[in-house]
Amino acid sequence: HTQTPITSLPALPLISLDTAEESTLAEVFRGKNIVIDFWTTRCTRCPAALDKLQEMAMNDTYGEDDVTFASICCDASLDGAREILEEPSQERRWNKIQHYSFLFGLQDKERAKQLFGFQSVPFYVFVDSNGTITHKGSPKQVDFERDIRGMTTKTTG
């Protein structure tokens, strides 16, 4: 059973965990090469996935390609995500990543799971600057260098 892949970012409502600004997925990332990591606060594998995202974000190779790295917390409330991200021991641990949460929590998480076709987190989605999803998958299904190259070569060439 193949789901029809979505070809552009949906207008799911987001709130920035950094600025508390409300927006939508489509608005925030329009015109950018983006790697999104979906996660939850109860997920034990998610911090490692965020670490990997941070590592990629700190890699100058991708800075040149103008790749934005973002996380979207799929929890019902913002508090848990803020607590984890603002915990003193975590200071600056994930500071190269733009952090968001779904505005309507679980309702949006269900929509995102349907749209992007994931069952569990962490889950990465690669979107090029045209808004086309070029790759997606769990950490095991993702090769960052290959998938970022696949995303950025399409848009620059």
Side-chain angles (χ1 to χ4, degrees):
H1 68 275
T2 52
Q3 274 186 316
T4 314
I6 60 170
T7 49
S8 61
L9 285 174
L12 286 170
L14 292 183
I15 183 161
S16 166
L17 292 170
D18 304 315
T19 65
E21 200 176 313
E22 293 179 18
S23 187
T24 69
L25 198 59
E27 273 176 325
V28 173
F29 303 132
R30 185 177 290 125
K32 296 177 184 167
N33 290 312
I34 180 106
V35 181
I36 304 169
D37 174 13
F38 290 96
W39 66 289
T40 66
T41 52
R42 285 199 286 286
C43 157
T44 52
R45 295 181 318 277
C46 287
L50 286 167
D51 286 342
K52 184 67 185 169
L53 203 64
Q54 172 79 1
E55 186 188 311
M56 292 293 117
M58 290 173 77
N59 182 329
D60 293 341
T61 317
Y62 307 124
E64 292 164 28
D65 288 325
D66 208 9
V67 178
T68 300
F69 295 87
S71 81
I72 298 179
C73 182
C74 300
D75 282 1
S77 99
L78 308 177
D79 303 338
R82 279 217 178 100
E83 260 168 50
I84 287 177
L85 296 171
E86 291 167 7
E87 195 181 298
S89 66
Q90 308 284 16
E91 196 192 356
R92 305 184 69 70
R93 179 173 172 186
W94 300 308
N95 65 337
K96 299 284 186 209
I97 303 170
Q98 294 178 16
H99 298 284
Y100 297 90
S101 186
F102 286 127
L103 204 49
F104 301 115
L106 300 178
Q107 175 189 336
D108 292 331
K109 176 189 179 181
E110 289 312 311
R111 283 225 349 144
K113 282 168 74 170
Q114 265 180 325
L115 290 165
F116 293 109
F118 65 95
Q119 301 303 312
S120 60
V121 293
F123 187 84
Y124 297 112
V125 177
F126 296 73
V127 184
D128 70 17
S129 58
N130 301 319
T132 307
I133 294 166
T134 58
H135 189 73
K136 58 186 182 168
S138 69
K140 283 190 178 77
Q141 298 166 312
V142 163
D143 171 333
F144 272 97
E145 280 153 34
R146 178 200 66 204
D147 297 329
I148 288 174
R149 215 175 24 251
M151 171 176 73
T152 53
T153 49
K154 276 193 188 124
T155 57
T156 51

